[in-house]
Amino acid sequence: MSGFPVIICLSFLLFLLLLVGVNGKEGDKREVYVVYMGAIHSQASDNTLKENHIQLLSSILPRGQPIEKYLLRRYKHGFSGFAARLSKNEADAISKKTGVISVFVDPIYQLHTTRSWDFLEETSVEIEWNPAIDAGSSPPPSGGSDTIIGLLDTGIWPESESFRDNGMGPIPSRWNGTCMKGDDFNSSNCNKKIIGARHYDIDDDDDSSVNVLPTDVDSPRDDLGHGTHTASTAAGNPIKEASFYGLADGTAKGGSISSRIAMYKVCGIDGCPGSAMLSAFDDAIADGVDLLSISIGASIFLRPDFSTDPIAIGAFHAVDKGITVVCSAGNDGPDAQSIVNTAPWILTVGAVTIDRYFESDVVLGGNSKAVKGGAINFSNLTKSATYPLIYAASARSNSSSADDASHCYFDTLNGTKIKGKIVVCKQSDDDYSTIEKAEDMKTYGAAGVIFINDLGKSVPTLYIDFPVTEVTTEASIQIMKYINSTKNPVATILPSITVPKYKPAPEVAYFSSRGPSTETSNIVKPDISAPGVNILASWTQNKDNNVGPSGHKPSHFNLVSGTSMACPHVAGVAAIIKSWNPTWSPAAIRSAIMTTAKQTNNNKSPITTDSGHAATPYDYGSGVINPSSVLQPGLVYETEKNDYLQFLCNYGYTTDIIKNMTDIPNGFKCSKNSSKDLISNLNYPSIAISDFTGKEKRIVNRVVKNVGSAEATTYVVSIKSPPELNLEVLPDKLQFSKSVTKLSYQVSFSASSSQLKGDYFGSITWSDGTHRVRSPFVVKSS
């Protein structure tokens, strides 16, 4: 028996060798890496750049190997770099080469809808929030320009009515893009509305041990629906009598109906490769888009640095070329510090509800009043309360506890006891999703489900055919009281109805990711919020992706929630601003959106979160986008190239790295005093101060530019501050004239209390009697 352990050890070693692969070393296993090399300097030709990339790659590969086998993508328009199949050892070697800023494994990012595409369980719906300004949905007769909105997404369904080009003028002559051919897609699918469509698929190499995505159709065509939904939300044509099988009926309309669309398909069912997104950024810069709408983000567990985040990298170079980049904040709320896409050159968007709700009530037996519930279902149950009603804990299996059974956890219920009955289940924050539980109840033969769920009560879930609704804990008291009062309780679940003019609205959606940013706590993120709950917009007609009731044809529209949906709302409004002000920078457009935002709901009360607490800048940024005011902001905060250079210094990058990242002025050098505390001085429309002790004043500087119609005007400041802080703004008046269009001011923060603890919120507002230019602030104590 003494040889038995030896055999086990040898077998285990053989197993490890098989895991590592034929090369025998984990460091030799090949993966897709991105090699980022920063800006393309003006003297570099495409041939020089190509030679540089090939020479760099050749220097670390085995001799005699063909470059084509390893080189997957080259970035050559907006910035320099490439994606290649490398081993870890090769990646480490190339990262040490001159001119290389970062080398990182190609990450897979995800779309920012509230449910996984594996199940296509998009929650909620809403009638169209209409962000288009009647006067501003088309550019002015003179002096305006067509805007081109690029989207990095899942592709587009070109046959949708949202993308017809009736009445549109010629494609702008500055457009350099293309309409790529692919499976079931050719140049004729583009028109004067969809003026560009690209896709970024890679053929997998079986010998490389690399799983390359996307894995769906090799074409710009959208098989998933997400890209069609976001594109039509940003710039879709008005479509009357739009609905989701009768729900949310109204006019579906994009934010900027005069804008053109360029789709860059970078996502498949398994996610969005960073290398593909960088290719899309690179192409979009060369194609000539005005804005980019990106409803994609990294996992909150990944937390890449700006120099290894494909979205931050691509957006940095796009903004440097004058392209506004709008990104979703993520769907990992309501936890603090869950926000992504936080680079200051990105306009980061959170999600709120609108004034529409989908009600699905519970009718109890006897003379009980209907109990209000919320969900999207097309229940085929009778309207009379004739179905046996049971509390899940009363149907527990012999091997389960009453508590587990009350939550309807898998395999905790006796199927015989719930068959044909409506089951009442509890739902907690850390439970399985209600959709998974409902599917489980359906397999047991339950007639329906009532979930007691306080989380996300303003975001009704999409259950389609199966009769399911959700009630609050307060509402459930009536249901439980009835169940306990009779021997044979009965009920029914009514199909959903659309409730318009719902109050209070807007509310911050529970799923919307929250600040502060872990990367940039001295910048308030998100920047702005917009409708992202119950959004009705166009959808793919792919039969495999039909989420409607059985027996019905696929709907041309779908109801989807997520910061994915909020992002194109803001992109549409940004396009309107750009069309009226073609020379405005991305920073000016961002400023106009942020400083004119709303902070009150349709009850004329402060906007709250889904849980009823007062919303803070960590929840919704500067507030909720206000399309009726964005064209007249009065003043704007310009964030210029030098401001971003100083930010990079204060963030911790060296002068040499920054020199590689972008063109810098002669003599520019990071100060030895560079500090993350100084990031608060970035000329941003909001103010954030972290690690505030209160023992000494903190001074923040800002510069504003007058863009109002009156050249000679005076703005006076007003301050809203918590009692624990003392604020002073100097000067407290800004007097503009024909020759003085830019003025600076300082804000000094000091403590009025020696016991500072937590976060403090307030605002600074400049007004000339016509315009109100509001900047929120956050002070975080140390």
Side-chain angles (χ1 to χ4, degrees):
M1 297 296 289
S2 62
F4 185 65
V6 177
I7 293 172
I8 293 176
C9 290
L10 289 173
S11 299
F12 182 66
L13 286 172
L14 179 60
F15 173 70
L16 287 178
L17 286 171
L18 288 172
L19 281 179
V20 170
V22 294
N23 288 319
K25 294 181 180 179
E26 183 63 32
D28 290 334
K29 180 183 176 182
R30 294 197 177 278
E31 295 182 272
V32 177
Y33 281 84
V34 172
V35 179
Y36 171 52
M37 302 173 67
I40 300 171
H41 299 291
S42 55
Q43 66 271 20
S45 66
D46 184 46
N47 285 336
T48 302
L49 204 62
K50 184 176 181 180
E51 289 175 9
N52 188 13
H53 293 165
I54 291 174
Q55 185 178 13
L56 187 63
L57 187 55
S58 299
S59 70
I60 54 91
L61 289 176
R63 289 186 178 181
Q65 292 291 333
I67 292 295
E68 296 77 17
K69 182 179 178 181
Y70 302 96
L71 183 62
L72 301 176
R73 308 181 189 277
R74 287 184 55 240
Y75 311 122
K76 55 188 178 181
H77 302 301
F79 49 92
S80 175
F82 55 87
R85 291 190 174 98
L86 303 173
S87 68
K88 186 179 184 305
N89 293 335
E90 290 164 348
D92 289 343
I94 209 169
S95 69
K96 297 178 175 66
K97 299 288 185 179
T98 302
V100 174
I101 295 174
S102 59
V103 179
F104 52 94
V105 174
D106 191 8
I108 305 299
Y109 284 11
Q110 297 299 320
L111 299 164
H112 278 161
T113 49
T114 57
R115 289 291 185 270
S116 164
W117 285 105
D118 293 338
F119 302 101
L120 288 175
E121 298 164 352
E122 296 76 80
T123 62
S124 66
V125 283
E126 265 200 10
I127 189 163
E128 239 296 356
W129 177 74
N130 188 351
I133 308 164
D134 291 339
S137 54
S138 296
S142 61
S145 65
D146 288 325
T147 53
I148 303 168
I149 302 176
L151 297 101
L152 275 60
D153 218 297
T154 64
I156 197 162
W157 195 266
E159 291 82 8
S160 169
E161 285 185 68
S162 292
F163 309 129
R164 291 181 178 175
D165 63 356
N166 299 348
M168 298 196 78
I171 295 171
S173 58
R174 58 193 168 85
W175 176 245
N176 300 312
T178 188
C179 194
M180 289 178 66
K181 294 181 180 179
D183 295 343
D184 196 23
F185 199 99
N186 56 50
S187 59
S188 65
N189 289 120
C190 289
N191 54 20
K192 289 181 284 187
K193 184 68 171 179
I194 304 173
I195 63 173
R198 294 180 183 267
H199 62 101
Y200 301 89
D201 305 294
I202 309 173
D203 293 325
D204 196 3
D205 179 353
D206 293 335
D207 296 330
S208 69
S209 301
V210 178
N211 181 25
V212 182
L213 304 171
T215 56
D216 59 341
V217 65
D218 186 17
S219 163
R221 183 169 291 279
D222 182 12
D223 278 341
L224 298 179
H226 188 277
T228 300
H229 198 280
T230 56
S232 60
T233 300
N237 299 320
I239 304 175
K240 295 180 179 179
E241 299 180 356
S243 75
F244 183 66
Y245 302 100
L247 287 176
D249 56 313
T251 299
K253 181 180 181 181
S256 178
I257 60 175
S258 66
S259 289
R260 319 293 179 133
I261 294 169
M263 176 57 68
Y264 300 86
K265 182 178 177 179
V266 298
C267 299
I269 195 167
D270 294 313
C272 318
S275 61
M277 289 190 287
L278 284 170
S279 286
F281 273 113
D282 197 39
D283 285 333
I285 291 169
D287 289 347
V289 302
D290 296 300
L291 303 99
L292 283 168
S293 179
I294 304 169
S295 296
I296 303 167
S299 163
I300 59 169
F301 303 107
L302 186 59
R303 298 293 187 189
D305 185 76
F306 296 139
S307 63
T308 58
D309 178 1
I311 292 179
I313 292 169
F316 178 79
H317 293 284
V319 169
D320 194 38
K321 298 294 192 295
I323 299 168
T324 298
V325 180
V326 186
C327 293
S328 47
N331 296 337
D332 291 298
D335 292 339
Q337 296 186 315
S338 54
I339 192 166
V340 297
N341 295 328
T342 59
W345 45 86
I346 291 173
L347 180 52
T348 312
V349 186
V352 295
T353 65
I354 60 171
D355 62 346
R356 180 178 58 204
Y357 190 70
F358 295 94
E359 190 172 315
S360 174
D361 293 345
V362 177
V363 178
L364 302 173
N367 296 319
S368 301
K369 292 182 180 179
V371 178
K372 284 191 177 182
I376 299 167
N377 74 68
F378 300 94
S379 170
N380 57 3
L381 300 183
T382 63
K383 294 187 177 181
S384 301
T386 59
Y387 302 91
L389 179 66
I390 188 170
Y391 179 47
S394 302
R396 71 181 182 89
S397 65
N398 292 333
S399 60
S400 304
S401 68
D403 185 61
D404 285 350
S406 71
H407 287 258
C408 295
Y409 293 148
F410 297 144
D411 298 325
T412 61
L413 302 182
N414 184 325
T416 304
K417 291 183 179 180
I418 64 174
K419 187 173 183 180
K421 298 178 182 178
I422 294 175
V423 185
V424 180
C425 304
K426 290 182 178 179
Q427 181 70 13
S428 299
D429 292 3
D430 55 354
D431 281 5
Y432 309 121
S433 77
T434 56
I435 290 180
E436 291 175 292
K437 290 183 181 181
E439 286 298 319
D440 197 40
M441 296 299 100
K442 189 176 181 180
T443 61
Y444 279 122
V449 184
I450 300 168
F451 286 110
I452 303 171
N453 186 14
D454 292 318
L455 179 67
K457 57 183 179 291
S458 61
V459 186
T461 304
L462 190 64
Y463 295 105
I464 308 298
D465 285 332
F466 193 44
V468 182
T469 192
E470 300 181 21
V471 300
T472 63
T473 299
E474 183 180 359
S476 73
I477 294 173
Q478 184 179 344
I479 297 174
M480 297 306 297
K481 185 177 180 181
Y482 166 69
I483 289 175
N484 294 326
S485 70
T486 180
K487 188 175 181 180
N488 297 302
V490 290
T492 192
I493 298 172
L494 300 180
S496 301
I497 60 171
T498 305
V499 180
K501 307 298 180 185
Y502 183 80
K503 291 184 178 182
E507 290 180 340
V508 179
Y510 79 92
F511 58 78
S512 187
S513 289
R514 307 301 211 268
S517 162
T518 57
E519 295 83 18
T520 52
S521 59
N522 284 315
I523 296 174
V524 178
K525 288 288 181 173
D527 294 309
I528 194 71
S529 292
V533 177
N534 305 332
I535 303 302
L536 181 73
S538 291
W539 197 249
T540 175
Q541 291 298 286
N542 179 9
K543 290 184 290 185
D544 296 331
N545 207 15
N546 179 20
V547 294
S550 58
H552 289 73
K553 293 181 179 178
S555 174
H556 290 273
F557 305 93
N558 198 7
L559 299 161
V560 191
S561 290
T563 52
S564 267
M565 286 62 247
C567 176
H569 277 100
V570 174
V573 173
I576 292 172
I577 300 172
K578 182 71 173 178
S579 69
W580 283 73
N581 304 279
T583 61
W584 276 22
S585 68
I589 292 170
R590 173 182 62 203
S591 179
I593 289 171
M594 290 175 64
T595 60
T596 59
K598 296 185 294 184
Q599 296 81 41
T600 54
N601 60 25
N602 55 5
N603 279 334
K604 297 183 180 179
S605 299
I607 292 171
T608 66
T609 65
D610 179 82
S611 61
H613 299 294
T616 74
Y618 289 156
D619 300 312
Y620 69 168
S622 294
V624 177
I625 194 167
N626 185 7
S628 63
S629 299
V630 294
L631 291 180
Q632 297 180 353
L635 305 176
V636 294
Y637 292 83
E638 286 278 17
T639 312
E640 298 176 347
K641 178 71 171 281
N642 194 61
D643 295 311
Y644 287 129
L645 296 180
Q646 292 295 340
F647 165 81
L648 294 172
C649 290
N650 289 325
Y651 186 75
Y653 292 115
T654 65
T655 304
D656 287 339
I657 290 176
I658 296 171
K659 192 179 297 184
N660 280 337
M661 290 176 70
T662 184
D663 292 322
I664 64 174
N666 290 331
F668 176 86
K669 192 174 182 180
C670 289
S671 168
K672 292 181 180 179
N673 297 324
S674 295
S675 161
K676 286 198 173 184
D677 287 344
L678 296 177
I679 289 175
S680 298
N681 275 322
L682 182 69
N683 201 44
Y684 215 73
S686 56
I687 297 172
I689 293 175
S690 63
D691 297 324
F692 184 63
T693 64
K695 294 178 180 179
E696 56 185 26
K697 285 186 178 181
R698 291 279 288 272
I699 296 176
V700 173
N701 300 290
R702 289 293 186 269
V703 178
V704 286
K705 179 182 179 181
N706 180 24
V707 294
S709 56
E711 293 178 329
T713 185
T714 299
Y715 280 80
V716 179
V717 74
S718 61
I719 301 170
K720 184 178 180 181
S721 177
E724 293 85 355
L725 298 177
N726 289 322
L727 265 72
E728 185 180 20
V729 178
L730 294 174
D732 59 2
K733 290 183 180 180
L734 299 175
Q735 294 182 310
F736 296 93
S737 65
K738 186 175 182 179
S739 59
V740 180
T741 59
K742 285 186 178 183
L743 289 170
S744 62
Y745 67 90
Q746 285 188 339
V747 187
S748 66
F749 293 82
S750 59
S752 59
S753 168
S754 60
Q755 300 295 322
L756 291 180
K757 185 177 181 180
D759 302 309
Y760 300 93
F761 309 101
S763 62
I764 296 164
T765 304
W766 292 96
S767 178
D768 65 349
T770 301
H771 308 95
R772 293 184 73 255
V773 187
R774 180 182 178 274
S775 293
F777 67 77
V778 175
V779 175
K780 185 178 183 66
S781 62
S782 58

